[in-house]
Amino acid sequence: MINEALKLIRSGHPIAIPTETVYGLAADIEQPAAIEKIFAIKERPYFDPLIVHVSSINEVTKVAAEFPPLAKKLAENFWPGPLTIILPKQAKLNPLITSGLNTVGIRCPNHPIALELLQKLGRPLAAPSANKFGKTSPTTAEHVRTEFNNEVFILDGGPCSIGIESTVISFSDDYKKIYIVRPGAITQTMLRQFAVVEFRKDSAAPGQLDHHYMPNLPLVVLKSDSLLTESSYEHIQTRLGVNKLYPSWVDLSLSNGPALCARQLYQALRDASKKNGANALIINFCLQKSAGPYKADELWSSIEDRLDKASSLIL
Ligand code: TXA
Ligand code: MG
């Protein structure tokens, strides 16, 4: 399988690869036509930059112009793992990968198959999540297959263990502060051991759109503990513009804790979308009662970030 994957990558074909977060659609950073194919397959606009995946810290300087001590320390601590680090890019790196920005997002994925592929290839791979633009990310090979109608080769590495996309960080100009531009499994508390951390909607991160990760049916996120009443049903109908609400409830048991919920989130959204006759998804995300001892875990806020962006209505 790996040999077939290598052959395809080398001959300029994007392929789907497993990572610990979500599946990626990977292509050789040195073949512009292969990078263009990623955008075509995903129907992704060119303003949304791709993440470059490396096999180890040693490969960072192949794509980044600088690797300051704070960034290096974070890479040493969290790689391989779900942390994407934005650094100044090398001039020669294809601007299509970075959407014309002068920075590049880099991460080393924690998945044996992805690592083996990267090591054997001997150079980094550009890989966004393997889904159509704006849609739910794939966490199994089957999700990728459905998304692209069997059109891309898939390295099947089983279900992703983390289940939501990596934390993306950038830095202040003096490299004293870390900015979280996309929350994920590497949390603010984990990063705070190394520098001051702030959340920031990065104006230089055009991919941070308010609507993203969208399932096939409109999603309603319930955040209040009050039960869904007749009047809120009416409210939902009006807001979604449907005559009668036929809801499909997303089966996500919050009492299982945030790690399991993150892992199951996208599968649960996909499963709920399949219910016959349903015209909306509803997810119960009331942490107050259900989440018990895990309530304070910051991973909940990363899950909430994805739900908010996937949603059509938050109540
Ligand atoms: O976990 C992940 O990060 C997965 C797996 C496959 O590694 N990848 C992923 O890629 O989620 P994608 O393309 O779906 O999301 C990458 C996001 C972009 O939308 C953008 O917001 C941000 O990362 N990004 C990438 N490069 C950037 C840059 N130079 N400056 C700011 N944001 C950047
Ligand atoms: Mg994506």
Side-chain angles (χ1 to χ4, degrees):
M1 283 294 263
I2 290 265
N3 286 339
E4 166 99 40
L6 280 167
K7 223 162 94 189
L8 287 166
I9 293 270
R10 287 192 184 117
S11 58
H13 297 285
I15 63 158
I17 60 164
T19 83
E20 79 282 31
T21 55
V22 301
Y23 274 74
L25 185 64
D28 185 353
I29 57 166
E30 302 202 359
Q31 296 188 52
I35 301 298
E36 272 181 47
K37 280 184 198 159
I38 290 184
F39 286 91
I41 295 169
K42 280 185 60 94
E43 296 165 18
R44 181 177 176 116
Y46 286 115
F47 62 73
D48 196 6
L50 311 179
I51 292 174
V52 171
H53 293 67
V54 293
S55 64
S56 76
I57 286 189
N58 298 332
E59 276 193 330
V60 169
T61 48
K62 287 184 180 172
V63 291
E66 290 167 36
F67 197 12
L70 174 59
K72 196 160 188 193
K73 221 177 196 174
L74 294 171
E76 279 164 2
N77 268 273
F78 297 110
W79 284 1
L83 181 70
T84 296
I85 302 177
I86 295 176
L87 290 172
K89 88 186 245 308
Q90 282 212 359
K92 67 169 195 222
L93 185 68
N94 183 347
L96 212 52
I97 295 174
T98 58
S99 301
L101 299 172
N102 51 17
T103 55
V104 55
I106 309 169
R107 100 174 180 97
C108 176
N110 189 15
H111 193 292
I113 294 177
L115 288 172
E116 189 185 341
L117 180 72
L118 286 164
Q119 277 152 12
K120 289 198 166 144
L121 186 68
R123 58 186 193 218
L125 284 170
S129 52
N131 51 274
K132 298 269 183 189
F133 179 68
K135 294 295 194 175
T136 309
S137 297
T139 51
T140 67
E142 186 54 39
H143 297 165
V144 183
R145 219 167 280 133
T146 323
E147 191 80 3
F148 299 133
N149 298 320
N150 274 321
E151 278 163 28
V152 288
F153 176 88
I154 305 167
L155 269 179
D156 191 340
C160 301
S161 57
I162 290 186
I164 58 170
E165 305 77 2
S166 61
T167 303
V168 180
I169 59 164
S170 64
F171 301 98
S172 57
D173 289 340
D174 60 5
Y175 285 97
K176 295 220 162 99
K177 262 190 205 165
I178 300 170
Y179 298 125
I180 299 182
V181 298
R182 180 174 73 183
I186 304 295
T187 61
Q188 185 178 26
T189 304
M190 292 158 87
L191 294 166
R192 212 186 270 134
Q193 310 166 51
F194 301 92
V196 174
V197 186
E198 284 173 16
F199 285 88
R200 172 183 265 209
K201 228 178 165 176
D202 197 338
S203 54
Q208 299 301 317
L209 303 173
D210 284 338
H211 288 289
H212 219 77
Y213 318 110
M214 303 283 273
N216 289 335
L217 291 174
L219 174 70
V220 181
V221 183
L222 286 187
K223 293 191 187 176
S224 114
D225 274 335
S226 56
L227 283 174
L228 197 58
T229 58
E230 277 302 310
S231 65
S232 39
Y233 254 73
E234 271 163 32
H235 181 68
I236 293 173
Q237 281 165 188
T238 314
R239 293 285 300 271
L240 295 184
V242 295
N243 285 333
K244 187 160 169 40
L245 184 67
Y246 297 103
S248 172
W249 285 82
V250 180
D251 184 16
L252 194 71
S253 186
L254 302 185
S255 56
N256 286 335
L260 213 56
C261 282
R263 192 180 301 161
Q264 294 170 344
L265 178 66
Y266 293 149
Q267 178 76 54
L269 289 176
R270 281 167 198 272
D271 287 347
S273 303
K274 288 182 195 144
K275 184 173 165 184
N276 270 338
N279 56 6
L281 307 181
I282 306 184
I283 187 163
N284 179 352
F285 198 67
C286 310
L287 288 175
Q288 289 313 93
K289 272 184 194 152
S290 349
Y294 300 100
K295 204 166 71 184
D297 196 302
E298 285 168 273
L299 186 52
W300 286 123
S301 50
S302 303
I303 296 172
E304 189 171 14
D305 169 79
R306 301 307 191 271
L307 283 176
D308 288 351
K309 288 184 182 142
S311 69
S312 298
L313 180 61
I314 301 170
L315 287 178

